[in-house]
Amino acid sequence: MQKALSYRDWLSTTTTTGGATNPPMENSSTSDNDTAVVKKLVTENAVVVFARRGCCMCHVVKLLLHGHGVNPTIFDVDEQNEAAVMNELSKINTAGEGSAATEAKFPAVFVGGKLLGGLEEIMGAHISGELVPRLREAGALWL
Amino acid sequence: MNSTSTQFVPSRRMGLCEPMPQVGMWNDYKENNCMHASQPVILEVDSRFDNQSEDTSHGTVGPSNKYDQEENKPVDKVMRRLAQNREAARKCRLRKKAYVQQLENSKLRLMQLEQELERARHQGSYIGGGLDTGQLGYSGTTNPGIATFEMEYGHWVEEQNKKIADLRNALYSDIGDVELGIFVDGGMRHYFDLFAMKATAARADVFYLMSGTWKTSAEHFLSWIGGFRPSELLKVLMPHLEPLTEQRRLELSNLRQSCQQAEDALSQGLEKLHQILSETVADGQLGEGNYLPQISAAMEKLEAMVRFVGQADHLRQETLLQISRNLTTRQTARGLLALGEYFQRLRALSSLWASRPRGSA
């Protein structure tokens, strides 16, 4: 299922859709810009995957989600921005759940604005059958 | 195996079969076998009847005509005794079957050990867990993490054989679900222990783990990313979990599909890593003799290998857990037993294959 981004969204973010990766323009931007972008992504998209560029684990996550008919939004994280982005992600996670801050790892998958976890958690949810309901809940599935 | 024995204590001939006769030549055991349990029991109960000849056909309870000679009052009691007798005889036959299997497994294990000793004597190499591949002083001598793993794995296999035998006995006996559950939990945890061991070994040398030299050849041939393929496992197990309700069968079928999807995703991810690694190493000018930058870049990529092995084992663990969630304790026990024996057979196959006479017509 193609997740369409509105033109306005496309202008305001420098991220990619449909699994294709573009060289991100935030290379030269400050980390403040990044954090705003990150927050916006998480709240506006049903499924977002944050991963290091060229990470093979991210590839696996993508394939699994595609298998369920989901086209996740992928955010490529540069090495220099890694710490900042990770920081921001952990903050989002804490704010959302009110629990102790858990150090997220890349790739980090957000479903419905909440951190689902890394590859391990996605696999676990996939096997136990919990993944599909959560995807449906977040509006990522149409069936 | 038949060279040493102790004689059966004569009094045992008269009693019901012992749960697991500890010793005794197989031949002795045969003569006193459970097929004739029916006769001794009758004898115990009512010594009036003469000893039936041991040639009487197997499985028959005492002839009923003799009972007619008695008063009809105790007929009910007698019928009940007969039924109990049949039950006892049946159980005894099952125990005998389990015992035989245990013996045969031990025999195979003994063969394997003898071969290993032979090889070790000739080569003087370190005896590790992969019984038929002959490590020939592999990195075990240079990498302490791997040496530890090889030793621990050897112990794991021995422990696994014991656990399987115990589980088999438990299934054939009359223990309740709670007790059976203890065996099941132990069995599952033992697999999880192996995954933990492998994680440590992967950090020491992931190539070693992926090469599969620590496993027997047949196991390695059928493996996927360093271990069993979960979807294949389900295929092996399902017939032994019957009878299943339609719903359960569907759930397991769906689980198998989920496993296949996860396996495909991991396999493709690994393929991608393969490509990236190749590109990284081949990057830049080949032939100039300065390749430190490429090598250090490749080192980083290799870290991902460790994670892949970890993810594959995690998938195996999740699959085992999910299977047990959907089944009764007894079904899970049967599944674990089937699984355990499947790998025992693979190990035995590897041994026999390695020791087959070469160049024979």
Side-chain angles (χ1 to χ4, degrees):
Chain A
M1 283 281 135
Q2 199 68 22
K3 174 105 182 59
L5 278 192
S6 71
Y7 186 58
R8 190 174 54 82
D9 284 339
W10 173 246
L11 280 181
S12 58
T13 69
T14 50
T15 55
T16 62
T17 54
T21 56
N22 287 331
M25 316 243 225
E26 67 257 22
N27 249 339
S28 44
S29 62
T30 65
S31 50
D32 282 339
N33 212 353
D34 262 355
T35 54
V37 159
V38 162
K39 209 178 175 80
K40 196 182 176 98
L41 276 179
V42 169
T43 47
E44 287 187 355
N45 293 296
V47 185
V48 192
V49 180
F50 296 90
R52 296 194 189 98
R53 192 193 314 280
C55 170
C56 300
M57 294 284 158
C58 172
H59 192 64
V60 178
V61 169
K62 243 196 297 172
L63 287 170
L64 264 183
L65 290 172
H66 283 175
H68 284 290
V70 174
N71 227 343
T73 309
I74 313 281
F75 184 95
D76 273 340
V77 183
D78 273 331
E79 246 186 270
Q80 50 259 49
N81 299 330
E82 242 181 66
V85 173
M86 184 46 69
N87 201 9
E88 183 61 27
L89 291 178
S90 306
K91 267 195 266 160
I92 295 174
N93 188 33
T94 317
E97 315 227 323
S99 56
T102 44
E103 259 299 307
K105 294 192 304 263
F106 289 123
V109 183
F110 280 76
V111 176
K114 287 208 295 254
L115 175 66
L116 180 47
L119 178 55
E120 229 173 72
E121 285 77 23
I122 299 290
M123 282 285 190
H126 174 75
I127 291 295
S128 66
E130 292 166 12
L131 186 58
V132 172
R134 276 196 75 161
L135 289 174
R136 206 175 278 136
E137 226 179 292
L141 292 179
W142 300 97
L143 299 166
Chain B
M1 272 276 196
N2 285 329
S3 49
T4 58
S5 74
T6 62
Q7 287 294 61
F8 251 127
V9 177
S11 62
R12 287 193 184 185
R13 287 177 188 242
M14 306 308 262
L16 287 170
C17 285
E18 300 295 308
M20 238 356 94
Q22 295 301 308
V23 292
M25 288 177 69
W26 173 237
N27 291 326
D28 265 8
Y29 187 82
K30 235 195 212 164
E31 282 167 22
N32 306 318
N33 75 12
C34 302
M35 297 305 188
H36 300 293
S38 38
Q39 279 92 18
V41 169
I42 295 178
L43 286 169
E44 256 189 11
V45 161
D46 197 336
S47 55
R48 218 170 317 198
F49 299 107
D50 273 335
N51 223 336
Q52 301 263 328
S53 87
E54 302 217 280
D55 293 330
T56 309
S57 59
H58 293 179
T60 51
V61 180
S64 48
N65 52 9
K66 285 207 176 171
Y67 290 99
D68 287 347
Q69 297 167 16
E70 302 300 306
E71 317 121 33
N72 284 330
K73 243 198 294 181
V75 161
D76 286 335
K77 260 200 229 167
V78 158
M79 294 311 282
R80 202 167 77 90
R81 268 206 297 271
L82 289 179
Q84 281 175 338
N85 206 305
R86 272 194 293 275
E87 195 49 37
R90 199 189 112 248
K91 287 215 186 94
C92 198
R93 281 193 290 275
L94 284 176
R95 281 196 291 264
K96 172 189 166 187
K97 200 167 140 196
Y99 178 59
V100 171
Q101 270 174 351
Q102 203 181 4
L103 277 182
E104 296 193 335
N105 289 342
S106 302
K107 186 170 116 185
L108 275 172
R109 173 92 186 139
L110 189 65
M111 272 167 54
Q112 288 173 352
L113 284 172
E114 281 174 343
Q115 273 165 36
E116 233 194 331
L117 269 174
E118 268 294 322
R119 217 172 290 122
R121 260 188 229 115
H122 285 152
Q123 297 163 354
S125 62
Y126 180 79
I127 299 177
L131 294 178
D132 66 324
T133 51
Q135 272 73 30
L136 281 175
Y138 187 89
S139 54
T141 52
T142 53
N143 189 333
I146 297 305
T148 309
F149 175 76
E150 282 190 331
M151 186 190 65
E152 285 182 346
Y153 182 68
H155 293 157
W156 187 90
V157 173
E158 282 174 15
E159 186 61 35
Q160 178 71 350
N161 289 334
K162 274 195 223 126
K163 281 192 150 50
I164 292 171
D166 288 343
L167 187 58
R168 192 180 290 122
N169 294 341
L171 267 174
Y172 281 130
S173 72
D174 258 340
I175 66 172
D177 272 3
V178 173
E179 273 187 82
L180 189 61
I182 297 177
F183 286 104
V184 167
D185 282 339
M188 298 278 273
R189 252 180 290 119
H190 203 226
Y191 281 111
F192 302 163
D193 285 346
L194 178 61
F195 299 148
M197 275 164 54
K198 285 169 71 184
T200 311
R203 285 190 287 273
D205 185 351
V206 69
F207 283 144
Y208 168 81
L209 209 60
M210 289 287 279
S211 73
T213 39
W214 52 280
K215 277 186 280 169
T216 60
S217 45
E219 280 177 292
H220 181 56
F221 181 64
L222 294 182
S223 73
W224 167 82
I225 311 189
F228 63 78
R229 193 183 267 273
S231 58
E232 213 170 82
L233 180 104
L234 274 164
K235 197 166 81 156
V236 166
L237 287 193
M238 268 181 80
H240 303 280
L241 301 173
E242 298 286 353
L244 288 167
T245 62
E246 264 317 297
Q247 196 205 356
R248 287 276 174 260
R249 199 173 294 120
L250 188 63
E251 279 168 2
L252 286 170
S253 190
N254 288 340
L255 178 59
R256 184 160 167 224
Q257 219 176 350
S258 297
C259 286
Q260 260 162 344
Q261 288 169 337
E263 286 160 24
D264 287 341
L266 276 174
S267 292
Q268 289 184 55
L270 203 53
E271 258 303 305
K272 181 149 189 248
L273 180 62
H274 188 128
Q275 280 170 36
I276 289 181
L277 191 61
S278 180
E279 282 167 19
T280 307
V281 170
D283 192 26
Q285 279 281 65
L286 282 163
E288 294 203 325
N290 170 32
Y291 42 74
L292 198 53
Q294 286 81 8
I295 300 304
S296 24
M299 283 287 281
E300 280 180 42
K301 309 293 181 209
L302 281 181
E303 285 301 316
M305 272 293 277
V306 179
R307 291 183 72 187
F308 264 103
V309 174
Q311 288 301 327
D313 276 345
H314 174 70
L315 180 63
R316 292 179 186 110
Q317 187 157 325
E318 286 297 315
T319 306
L320 285 173
L321 282 171
Q322 186 66 8
I323 292 174
S324 68
R325 272 181 217 130
N326 284 347
L327 299 174
T328 65
T329 306
R330 201 151 284 267
Q331 281 171 322
T332 311
R334 270 188 277 139
L336 274 178
L337 183 59
L339 180 63
E341 192 176 306
Y342 175 65
F343 289 119
Q344 278 179 334
R345 290 185 188 185
L346 285 179
R347 289 195 274 271
L349 175 64
S350 305
S351 258
L352 282 174
W353 179 254
S355 65
R356 79 197 187 286
R358 323 288 159 111
S360 52

